[in-house]
Amino acid sequence: SGDVIAAGSGGGSFLIYVWAVRTGKLLDSLSGHTAPIVGVRFAPHGHPYLASTSWDKSLRLWDVFGTAVNESFAHLHDATALDYKPDGKEIAVATLDGAVTFWDPEAGQARGTIDGKRHVGMRRTAADGQGLPEGGHFQCVAYSANGETLYAAGLGPYLCIYDSVRRVLLRRVEMTAAKRLWNAIAD
């Protein structure tokens, strides 16, 4: 609804802070994560739910305007990013193993997974063959406005575009700026 804003903390407390936009007043501190929080998203269409994900291998759902839902969904690896599908009926969560898991927030069940570690495209350095192996993980995921595609990117030089229904790679686009950045880091 635009009345509140939320942010997750990365150090020490691992809290999610919720503020009133108009007054700047802290409304609540949500606790439950046990490691740095890497993603916080409100459900679309003014629903009072907030999704958060963390290096503690969990996706959590919160009701920020009433009783705390605080449902938790477990992953096998640390989470790195999340996004709500525009209809609010699905949440995509990227994890450190290169996967993207699709969750039904109402049923509390995983509805599918994409193994993206081969798609993200991390590279070894040319000089010594060291560095990150081919593969890697996504650091951001975002649904298209109609929810039919999911965009995912990491430190590698590629933006991956997936069909969010069939869970298949549609296209992998090389990003020149990302490639230059990665080469600078690798050198």
Side-chain angles (χ1 to χ4, degrees), residues 3 20 37 39 45 55 67 75 87 90 95-96 104 125 130-132 134 136-137 141 167 169-170 176:
D3 294 331
I37 299 163
H45 309 300
W55 288 353
T67 53
H75 290 274
D87 64 8
E90 186 173 87
T95 52
L96 204 53
D104 178 333
T125 61
Q130 298 298 309
L132 295 172
E134 196 67 28
H137 65 277
V141 291
R167 318 281 197 235
L169 180 68
L170 296 174
T176 306

Side-chain angles (χ1 to χ4, degrees), residues 37-62:
I37 299 163
V38 295
V40 177
R41 296 284 188 276
F42 280 102
H45 309 300
H47 295 292
Y49 297 109
L50 178 72
S52 63
T53 196
S54 165
W55 288 353
D56 66 8
K57 302 176 185 172
S58 73
L59 164 66
R60 291 184 178 268
L61 296 180
W62 313 82

Side-chain angles (χ1 to χ4, degrees), residues 1 3 10 12 25 33 35 39 85 96 103 118 129 134 140 164 169 178:
S1 65
D3 294 331
K25 180 181 174 187
H33 284 294
K85 193 170 187 177
L96 204 53
W103 291 92
R118 293 174 293 117
E134 196 67 28
C140 75
S164 69
L169 180 68

Side-chain angles (χ1 to χ4, degrees), residues 100-103 110-114 167:
V100 178
T101 302
F102 297 88
W103 291 92
R111 296 290 188 202
T113 303
I114 292 172
R167 318 281 197 235

